[in-house]
Amino acid sequence: MANTAHLVRRQSSQNLNPQRSLDRLEMKELRGRLVVENGNSNLSHNYGATNVAFDDTSPNTKTGNVSGGSKLGSGEGKQVFRPEGGDEERESWDSKLTFLLATIGYAVGLGNVWRFPYLAQKNGGGAFLIPYFVMLAIEGIPIFYLELAIGQRLRKGAIGVWNQVSPYLGGIGISSAFVSFNVALYYNTIIAWCLFYFVQSFQSELPWATCPNKYYANGSYTVEPECVTSTPTQYFWYRSTLMISEDINSPEAFNWKIALALMVAWVLVYMCMIKGIASSGKVVYVTATFPYIVLIIFFFRGVTLKGMSDGLRHLFTPKWWTLTDPVVWLEAGTQIFFSLGLAFGGLIAFSSYNPVNNNCYRDAVMVSLTNCFTSMFAGIVVFSIIGFKATMIYERCLEERNLTLASLGMSSLELTSLPPEGTIIYMGNNETQVMPTIPECDLQKELDNSASGTGLAFIIFTEAINQFPGAQFWSILFFLMLFTLGIDSQFGTLEGVVTSIVDMKLFPNLRKEILTGVLCLICCSISMAFAHGAGSYVFILFDNFSGNFPLLIIAFFECIGVSYVYGLKRFADDIELMTGRRPGLYWLVCWKYLSPLAMLSILVASFVEIIVDGSGYPAWVSSKGVTERHEWPVWALVLIAFLILISVLWIPVVAICRAFGILIIEDNDKAWFPSEDLREFHGIVPHQVTTAEKTLFCIREDGSEGLCCPVGGVDEDDT
């Protein structure tokens, strides 16, 4: 196995060394200069000037020179790495701020608002933060850092990047593209639901505030029975919005309202992506910042509400015994992984548009921590409002109970001595009365009545908004926030697909805006599967299986590809050239051991959980006003298997085909990289292998690597 890994590394290195033509060598004499920028220079205009991949991957090859004639005086200017453009241009971000906003908008999504708060209160409150930050440290930030670095180094989308790491690993990029496509299909359905609720919020009375009437042929009417057995918010969600059927096998009527919302959502996504990062880069100034503005507004509203302290106490009170439950650690790792948007290919695509000397380490830490603290801040906002809702319900319950007791001539102090419900009691003067139902009022039970996902956004939170003065205003703000949270994650996910197709040159004569339009049209057509009575059940199927397992497998192979095929030392050398700072031992240990182990553990635990508990979906029972668990039918299980296999099978298929000489990916454009220019710019000296690196990673003095066993020397092609 060790010799095989070494052979694959050699093959990948050879593929990274481009064929140098005479014209290209002449052009290289004009590239890679250190320039002096005066203090009044517009650096943001030149942000993408270095965003060209340069034709050199060998640390020992002289490819350019550094101008040394400029003298730097104090306050007169600073050195900026800006090699001159080559013969292969790539799109670039307008500025560093645009990239950061796009990446934050991509990583910070709906899960931060509607899943983290639920998981925190369910899995130990404040104690949940311990496994949450542990998994962030060993799984979240390391893989985020890895994807940003490999994309910036190899200057391509996911397919091109992993094909250049090794032709045997090209399937990783294809898998990422397929997962991104599948997730984009159903993710835009959430955006469509948000648009529908947003439009409904402009009515004089919110349509989910009260139960509607049911009219009969003779002109009489009653309150809708299904709404009475549930709640107005549940009725509006399940019946008015989803037009939900009794199970996944009964699609019933086509939901034209959601179909129209889906079409509008896909048109908006296309408009955001029509010019690639040139258009999406401008959109993120709104979509990435607006959710924070709304969260801050809701925060100040929430902390002034009655019951706010009860909600926050319920969220953050630590239950230390939960730390011994492996499910808590599993859910913490899963939340970190999916909230950061790892393994989709979007991060690799975004990073490939960066300057070659961008500090990807700082970006990875900054965006990851921003994402996590956004989750915590959103938790405070959500549970301050849930605390208010629970307190209002609790106080109404107490009022109703006291009125009932008063009608019996009793007080709340006599609750423990009350006879059972239905007992005939004597009221005096020979009068009798059947003991009525005494409401049970429990604030803790109301606080526990939370939910995640659509249940939190469209039922729990809307019920709380109903009790706000000026509820329409707060509803408009809330659903506009959800829309902006979702749409930048959506076009970030879809950008991973588009970039991969463009970099593979599958349609070389098709302009990118036309390719994006065709892709959005195809997605819009397929997403009509979510616009019928059983559409929400199909949505749950996609949400549970189209991304979860494939993404874990992809992330596992990404770590394997970098650590055991590309080579840790080689990857660390590249990062040092790009950032001027070598990654520490901690990151190397994570990439080679801890992160793959975390991925594998979550994957195995998830499979075990399904085997033990089974898998199903919550079906709405209109007669009871509740959901009941149903098992997936056979055809749904087949669809689940298809969604998983269509994504992950590309990894072994591409490797096997390559072994037999069959090329699935033909990407002959090699990465350009000005290693000598970067080395001189950062003043980097050759790295001496340390004892710790020899012991932990089996890196030998000559720079070769092994799997803790000798694999022989290293060829010149590997240097």
Side-chain angles (χ1 to χ4, degrees):
M1 181 179 178
N3 290 320
T4 303
H6 182 60
L7 178 62
V8 175
R9 269 199 301 272
R10 289 181 55 190
Q11 176 67 39
S12 68
S13 177
Q14 291 168 2
N15 286 326
L16 285 170
N17 283 304
Q19 299 297 321
R20 296 173 173 81
S21 65
L22 180 60
D23 291 340
R24 188 167 290 180
L25 288 173
E26 291 175 353
M27 287 294 296
K28 287 177 68 61
E29 292 297 323
L30 302 176
R31 294 195 190 110
R33 299 288 189 267
L34 281 172
V35 299
V36 177
E37 292 286 349
N38 293 325
N40 58 357
S41 296
N42 185 359
L43 295 179
S44 64
H45 176 73
N46 295 320
Y47 180 76
T50 63
N51 201 20
V52 180
F54 289 87
D55 185 12
D56 177 48
T57 58
S58 172
N60 299 322
T61 305
K62 302 294 182 182
T63 61
N65 51 57
V66 180
S67 58
S70 298
K71 301 292 183 183
L72 293 178
S74 175
E76 294 180 359
K78 62 178 182 179
Q79 287 187 324
V80 177
F81 184 79
R82 192 180 64 182
E84 307 215 358
D87 55 351
E88 293 196 31
E89 294 290 339
R90 185 174 180 83
E91 287 184 281
S92 61
W93 297 104
D94 291 339
S95 65
K96 182 61 175 285
L97 178 61
T98 305
F99 165 71
L100 287 176
L101 288 176
T103 310
I104 290 172
Y106 169 76
V108 176
L110 295 167
N112 298 77
V113 173
W114 72 19
R115 182 156 176 80
F116 173 81
Y118 168 76
L119 289 178
Q121 67 91 22
K122 172 191 171 188
N123 293 303
F128 180 72
L129 296 179
I130 294 177
Y132 184 74
F133 279 103
V134 168
M135 298 308 290
L136 173 68
I138 68 173
E139 167 199 58
I141 300 180
I143 299 179
F144 202 96
Y145 184 12
L146 181 150
E147 292 197 352
L148 289 186
I150 200 74
Q152 182 174 311
R153 166 62 180 87
L154 298 181
R155 333 289 308 153
K156 291 181 179 291
I159 293 178
V161 159
W162 296 111
N163 185 61
Q164 288 200 32
V165 168
S166 171
Y168 293 93
L169 297 178
I172 296 177
I174 300 179
S175 292
S176 291
F178 267 87
V179 172
S180 296
F181 179 82
N182 291 336
V183 169
L185 285 177
Y186 81 84
Y187 199 84
N188 221 31
T189 306
I190 304 173
I191 297 176
W193 291 337
C194 293
L195 286 174
F196 179 73
Y197 267 73
F198 174 74
V199 172
Q200 296 295 320
S201 300
F202 285 92
Q203 298 187 31
S204 58
E205 182 184 19
L206 293 177
W208 53 82
T210 57
C211 286
N213 294 323
K214 182 177 182 179
Y215 293 89
Y216 298 97
N218 61 2
S220 63
Y221 65 88
T222 59
V223 178
E224 178 61 51
E226 183 179 348
C227 183
V228 173
T229 57
S230 56
T231 64
T233 53
Q234 285 179 311
Y235 178 83
F236 186 82
W237 169 242
Y238 287 112
R239 185 58 52 209
S240 301
T241 303
L242 299 180
M243 298 171 58
I244 200 164
S245 59
E246 61 182 13
D247 58 46
I248 197 172
N249 290 315
S250 309
E252 296 182 358
F254 183 75
N255 193 337
W256 62 268
K257 295 177 292 186
I258 298 303
L260 181 61
L262 273 169
M263 287 188 283
V264 172
W266 279 109
V267 169
L268 291 174
V269 170
Y270 174 65
M271 291 174 65
C272 292
M273 298 182 61
I274 189 170
K275 294 295 184 181
I277 63 171
S279 56
S280 61
K282 295 178 176 63
V283 173
V284 295
Y285 282 94
V286 176
T287 59
T289 57
F290 184 76
Y292 288 97
I293 297 173
V294 176
L295 278 176
I296 291 171
I297 294 173
F298 268 102
F299 170 77
F300 285 108
R301 182 69 182 99
V303 296
T304 61
L305 294 172
K306 186 177 183 179
M308 172 273 298
S309 58
D310 293 317
L312 296 186
R313 191 180 302 114
H314 182 71
L315 173 62
F316 288 116
T317 299
K319 305 177 183 67
W320 300 111
W321 64 87
T322 60
L323 295 179
T324 60
D325 186 355
V327 175
V328 173
W329 292 83
L330 168 65
E331 294 200 335
T334 304
Q335 173 64 14
I336 281 291
F337 183 85
F338 295 114
S339 69
L340 287 174
L342 304 175
F344 280 100
L347 291 175
I348 293 177
F350 279 0
S351 184
S352 70
Y353 301 127
N354 266 331
V356 75
N357 65 320
N358 176 60
N359 192 334
C360 53
Y361 166 73
R362 183 178 55 201
D363 296 343
V365 174
M366 182 189 306
V367 175
S368 299
L369 292 179
T370 300
N371 177 79
C372 293
F373 286 113
T374 300
S375 295
M376 296 175 63
F377 183 60
I380 293 173
V381 172
V382 168
F383 267 86
S384 65
I385 293 174
I386 286 179
F388 164 72
K389 179 186 79 74
T391 300
M392 293 297 100
I393 294 174
Y394 176 67
E395 290 184 347
R396 283 200 302 268
C397 178
L398 288 178
E399 183 179 350
E400 181 182 346
R401 187 181 70 181
N402 292 337
L403 288 174
T404 303
L405 291 174
S407 67
L408 299 173
M410 301 178 183
S411 69
S412 58
L413 297 176
E414 301 175 77
L415 280 175
T416 56
S417 59
L418 288 177
E421 177 186 342
T423 302
I424 297 176
I425 57 177
Y426 294 92
M427 307 297 294
N429 298 325
N430 296 323
E431 294 182 3
T432 61
Q433 181 175 338
V434 177
M435 186 66 189
T437 302
I438 305 297
E440 294 183 10
C441 305
D442 187 346
L443 179 60
Q444 187 63 35
K445 182 179 178 181
E446 293 299 332
L447 289 170
D448 287 334
N449 185 25
S450 179
S452 67
T454 55
L456 175 64
F458 299 107
I459 297 176
I460 302 295
F461 216 85
T462 51
E463 187 174 339
I465 288 176
N466 284 340
Q467 303 176 58
F468 286 7
Q472 292 86 349
F473 169 75
W474 297 104
S475 180
I476 290 169
L477 270 187
F478 178 67
F479 289 108
L480 192 57
M481 178 191 71
L482 291 185
F483 169 76
T484 53
L485 275 173
I487 197 165
D488 49 8
S489 296
Q490 172 70 359
F491 61 65
T493 301
L494 212 57
E495 181 66 33
V497 183
V498 174
T499 303
S500 295
I501 295 174
V502 170
D503 286 345
M504 285 185 67
K505 295 182 173 58
L506 294 179
F507 307 100
N509 299 322
L510 195 63
R511 298 204 312 270
K512 189 172 182 178
E513 54 266 33
I514 297 177
L515 172 63
T516 304
V518 171
L519 186 63
C520 288
L521 182 61
I522 293 173
C523 289
C524 183
S525 302
I526 300 175
S527 64
M528 290 299 129
F530 305 110
H532 54 76
S536 64
Y537 303 138
V538 179
F539 170 87
I540 292 171
L541 185 150
F542 269 74
D543 187 35
N544 289 345
F545 298 102
S546 66
N548 293 11
F549 296 114
L551 288 173
L552 289 168
I553 294 170
I554 291 168
F556 174 78
F557 279 101
E558 284 183 351
C559 293
I560 297 300
V562 166
S563 301
Y564 297 94
V565 178
Y566 191 81
L568 271 184
K569 180 181 181 301
R570 184 178 175 189
F571 190 51
D573 288 342
D574 289 342
I575 293 175
E576 186 177 16
L577 288 173
M578 291 187 293
T579 67
R581 178 179 180 180
R582 194 172 187 83
L585 281 178
Y586 171 76
W587 302 108
L588 304 183
V589 169
C590 285
W591 290 329
K592 191 155 188 172
Y593 302 119
L594 295 183
S595 295
L597 183 61
M599 296 296 98
L600 202 57
S601 299
I602 294 173
L603 188 64
V604 172
S606 300
F607 276 119
V608 171
E609 186 179 24
I610 288 179
I611 293 172
V612 173
D613 299 333
S615 179
Y617 64 97
W620 177 249
V621 183
S622 58
S623 60
K624 300 179 181 178
V626 295
T627 58
E628 292 182 353
R629 179 186 170 92
H630 285 198
E631 296 296 321
W632 295 111
V634 174
W635 69 266
L637 295 176
V638 173
L639 179 58
I640 289 170
F642 174 78
L643 288 174
I644 296 175
L645 294 177
I646 195 64
S647 299
V648 300
L649 278 182
W650 289 102
I651 298 174
V653 165
V654 169
I656 293 171
C657 290
R658 180 72 186 189
F660 285 96
I662 303 173
L663 297 182
I664 294 181
I665 303 173
E666 296 188 21
D667 184 4
N668 297 319
D669 294 331
K670 308 305 176 183
W672 291 1
F673 191 63
S675 59
E676 274 303 310
D677 293 348
L678 288 167
R679 181 176 289 108
E680 294 187 41
F681 175 72
H682 291 299
I684 296 171
V685 298
H687 176 70
Q688 299 297 321
V689 180
T690 65
T691 304
E693 290 175 338
K694 295 176 185 176
T695 305
L696 293 174
F697 314 118
C698 304
I699 301 176
R700 289 177 283 274
E701 292 288 351
D702 60 0
S704 62
E705 299 180 42
L707 303 178
C708 293
C709 56
V711 295
V714 61
D715 285 0
E716 290 183 2
D717 290 334
D718 284 342
T719 58

